[in-house]
Amino acid sequence: MAVTMTEAAAQHIRRSLDGRGKGEGIRVGVRTTGCSGMAYVLEFVDEPVSEDQVFESHGTKVYVDAKSLVYIDGTELDFVREGLNEGFKFNNPNVRGECGCGESFNV
Amino acid sequence: MSECHFGLFGLKPAFELDLTELSARYREMAKAVHPDRFADADAREQRLAIERSANMNEAYRVLKNPAQRALYLLRLQGCDLALEATVQDPSFLMQQMHLREALEEITDWPAVNAFKAELKQLQQAQEQEFSAIWQDAARMSEAERLVRRLQFLDKLAREVRQLEERLDD
Amino acid sequence: MALLQIAEPGQAPKPHQRRLAVGIDLGTTNSLVASVRSGLAETLPDADGAVILPSAVHYQASATVVGAAAKAATSQDPLNTIVSVKRLMGRGLQDIHQLGEQLPYRFVAGDSQMPFIETCQGNKSPVEVSADILKALRARAEQTLGGELVGAVITVPAYFDDAQRQATKDAAKLAGLNVLRLLNEPTAAAVAYGLDKQAEGVVAIYDLGGGTFDVSILRLSRGVFEVLATGGDSALGGDDLDLAIAHWVLGEAQASTDLTPAQQRSLLEQACAAKEALTDASSVQLSYGSWQGVLTRERFVELIDPLLERTLKACRRALRDADVELEEVDAVVMVGGSTRVPRVRDVVGRLFAREPLTDIDPDQVVAIGASIQADVLAGNRSGDELLLLDVIPLSLGLETMGGLMEKVIARNTTIPSARAQEFTTYKDGQTAMLIHVLQGERELISACRSLARFELRGIPPMPAGAAKIRVTFQVDADGLLDVTARELNSGVEASIQVKPSYGLSDDEIARMLTESMEYAGVDKDARALAEEQVDADRLLEAVQAALAADGLALLSEAERRDIDQAIAQLLQVRAQSADAAAVSAAAKALSVATDEFAARRMDASVRAALAGRNVQEIEE
């Protein structure tokens, strides 16, 4: 079981952590949503929780809570630019479909 | 919510005041009521925040300044003060005239600094006296006199600032 | 899938609920927009990668062009290409005439004193021109961030008066932007620096923009940025350095000073380029008509020193107002493109006896600071780390008998601020009263800025002198004045009609809004209903959250029942009614029913803050 990230994603996360001045790493997870299934959670981590699984990729720590892990196992986090927009993208092999608005998915 | 200015900061009415402590309390409390905390809230909460902040800022402004603080303490004791120094204080009236004339003579920076130092000494003397007697009900009229003097000296200090600006030209 | 940003712990937004907020530096010469993404505050570039949007608007017959393309048209279509519009915001025609030699436009009078500019697209007010710039920035931000903005923090010079601020807010409204806060530019710069360096102590911000100069003295202490004093000159900026060069050229060339708009523009552009070139070169070539000459750095310094001396004077005054000695200043920060001129850095460094800080790009620092505050105000971070306590830059007062100005709120008073004054009637049965509000430091009204005339109506008829009318002047966190009045004997609140001296009337704004493309074709009633519904939903959400948090602790059963009833009523009206007025009334009823509760909650939170302070003391 693993969650990884691309070099581009790692670079951006390092920059953000430096700019923010604090943080152990990032948290990656899922939560249920009314729209159509699930949505990703992407947050900074200041205080890890003991139940978290920790992965390390390109020198950056990724924390995943036990419940989310089964839905995002094998996911690779990437950082891309689309037009003027730029941000993080989850390449998740478990995803079956996405909501039309592009904000939630189901597995 | 008609708390007195001191109560607002969790302090008992007093003339002696730790200004560092007051500032620290002010900053902590400002965090709780500043409109920025309610930028996202509905119009009513925003309005309340503005009122509370304005109230707190006014209380802080009064307590920070010794002359204002003294005046406020007397007002708390029910004393409604007319603010011009009157003929009831003849020796101070004379001093007022001397100080005003001295101020008009000033044309250079060393003189300004000397004047400011003298002014500060006078203020401190009145403040010390006030601090000693303001709680004594029997010496109320003396306390009033001291407050009027402090108000005058405060006003003079402002005029010194205006003079400094003119000198800077 | 939509692209994600990294959120603060526990703040990851639910889908469709991302709170996108930006900071906007609406400058005289250049404008920028910035936003905090994944914890980083960054300016947002356009499709060509440029972060700066020149504050230029070119009105063509069939299109409105904003930015670099508009700036390029300045000398070839000077009357329809508007630059430096910020200098016209909140100003009247007389002020304009003083600026006449720099701005070649054709002005006509509007309803109030506000001047309109004749363009091929019709008459445009400075507010509309600024709105066009803001629209371009808003579009860039929404495209880049991938969604609608919940709001923007827009910066203004600290020295902007009430009329100038109100004009800026009106422009934002026309551009469809929700203003989270009007933020003073030096304070914004202080935020960018302060957070960057985790600074503590006293900081001076020297901000020389294109058209305005600001100096602010702040104390930074545990995330609280407290402005101690602010000063400046809202009609002195980098543009004036250019003008000095232009005048010199005309003198050397012995040319007439009566220039056509195109000549004016072209000469000023050359002057600006020369100023920039002299940053690195020791001399620069200039030409005008048949004249050619060389401007040395030494000569340039002679030309601009008098202007710079004005800025230093403002610095000294601000220090006096702040009650801070030169030695107590821990750092001096340079803001604004014009601070790249070496002479500027020299004189400022000499005054403060220290090297001015320039590490954050002086063109971007204001937008970056504004975006950080926007992030806080939009609710994306806890906000415990940052609080800005700003001040009003100019005294507010009233016209009294004899044509004098009586100060009500002094300059450098921390805002929000409120002061009350009592008035009475002078005629039997008098039911109305006129109050003329001004801003400025001088005694004579003619030397101060007229802000507005407030007409109080609805005073209950009484014998002359019997009425006790308490007029409260309140300045909010944006630095804007609001006036309320109550007759104390009867408790009647007077209704207030505001006639701004240099601003747009509510009618003018309404007209501009309906004319703008944004609202064309949208049914007015449907929009009114939608607005009331949104307000009602927000109120319901806020009340329910408040009840969940403090309902048990702060309300009696009877009080709770009343509130629940008002909630039920509003929910019903909201679900069933298509009448905006009905929804509004039900929301008002809930608001009134929860007024006392809201006040108690705020008191409790203030006490908690104080208790927290006391506990800390004991632990030390």
Side-chain angles (χ1 to χ4, degrees), chain C residues 562-614:
Chain C
D562 284 340
I563 292 180
D564 285 337
Q565 247 179 1
I567 292 178
Q569 177 66 7
L570 177 55
L571 282 169
Q572 194 187 36
V573 173
R574 166 81 177 80
Q576 298 174 351
S577 173
D579 178 8
V583 176
S584 170
K588 182 102 206 276
L590 176 58
S591 187
V592 166
T594 49
D595 261 345
E596 179 57 38
F597 180 38
R600 281 183 208 165
R601 290 190 77 221
M602 204 166 287
D603 283 340
S605 114
V606 169
R607 272 198 299 277
L610 204 51
R613 170 92 206 138
N614 289 340

Side-chain angles (χ1 to χ4, degrees), chain C residues 391-437:
Chain C
V391 300
I392 188 176
L394 295 158
S395 302
L396 279 171
L398 304 167
E399 175 177 353
T400 57
M401 298 286 190
L404 295 178
M405 140 90 141
E406 184 189 314
K407 291 188 186 148
V408 175
I409 299 185
R411 75 167 186 267
N412 290 316
T413 299
T414 305
I415 51 180
S417 177
R419 268 302 180 80
Q421 286 235 343
E422 275 178 30
F423 297 85
T424 190
T425 48
Y426 64 90
K427 268 198 320 206
D428 289 337
Q430 184 179 341
T431 59
M433 204 167 198
L434 194 60
I435 295 185
H436 185 199
V437 179

Side-chain angles (χ1 to χ4, degrees), chain A residues 16-84:
Chain A
S16 295
L17 286 171
D18 283 342
R20 194 169 168 266
K22 58 177 176 164
E24 295 296 313
I26 55 157
R27 172 178 302 288
V28 154
V30 296
R31 60 141 85 85
T32 53
T33 101
C35 184
S36 132
M38 319 199 111
Y40 291 115
V41 168
L42 179 60
E43 294 175 350
F44 290 109
V45 176
D46 288 325
E47 285 164 14
V49 170
S50 54
E51 291 85 35
D52 287 336
Q53 275 260 335
V54 188
F55 303 97
E56 195 154 322
S57 186
H58 295 283
T60 304
K61 291 210 176 75
V62 182
Y63 295 81
V64 188
D65 65 284
K67 275 192 289 187
S68 298
L69 192 49
V70 64
Y71 297 107
I72 57 173
D73 178 32
T75 295
E76 181 194 56
L77 186 61
D78 194 7
F79 186 87
V80 298
R81 163 170 276 132
E82 286 171 4
L84 279 177

Side-chain angles (χ1 to χ4, degrees), chain C residues 20-156:
Chain C
L20 300 171
V22 297
I24 293 180
D25 176 2
L26 185 62
T28 309
T29 317
N30 294 317
S31 295
L32 299 94
V33 59
S35 187
V36 174
R37 287 185 293 179
S38 298
L40 285 174
E42 289 171 321
T43 46
L44 305 179
D46 64 15
D48 299 319
V51 295
I52 287 183
L53 178 79
S55 304
V57 182
H58 184 200
Y59 290 103
Q60 300 168 350
S62 54
T64 301
V65 177
V66 180
K71 188 170 173 187
T74 324
S75 355
Q76 135 242 121
D77 191 4
L79 294 177
N80 289 308
T81 310
I82 318 296
V83 298
S84 297
V85 70
K86 191 167 173 176
R87 297 196 125 183
L88 304 175
M89 296 285 269
R91 304 285 80 162
L93 272 173
Q94 291 152 312
D95 308 301
I96 305 302
H97 289 315
Q98 284 171 355
L99 291 171
E101 52 179 336
Q102 288 176 272
L103 300 172
Y105 314 121
R106 292 168 304 205
F107 294 101
V108 293
D111 274 354
S112 58
Q113 293 284 333
M114 175 168 259
F116 281 66
I117 304 172
E118 277 182 15
T119 74
C120 65
Q121 275 189 31
N123 293 345
K124 299 278 179 186
S125 74
V127 170
E128 283 169 284
V129 179
S130 297
D132 283 329
I133 299 174
L134 288 173
K135 277 185 202 159
L137 292 170
R138 174 185 167 201
R140 183 195 293 186
E142 288 181 340
Q143 265 177 42
T144 308
L145 301 175
E148 229 181 271
L149 302 178
V150 306
V153 167
I154 304 186
T155 60
V156 290

Side-chain angles (χ1 to χ4, degrees), chain C residues 254-267:
Chain C
Q254 300 196 321
S256 148
T257 49
D258 201 11
L259 307 177
T260 66
Q263 284 174 319
Q264 254 186 51
R265 279 279 120 227
S266 156
L267 180 55

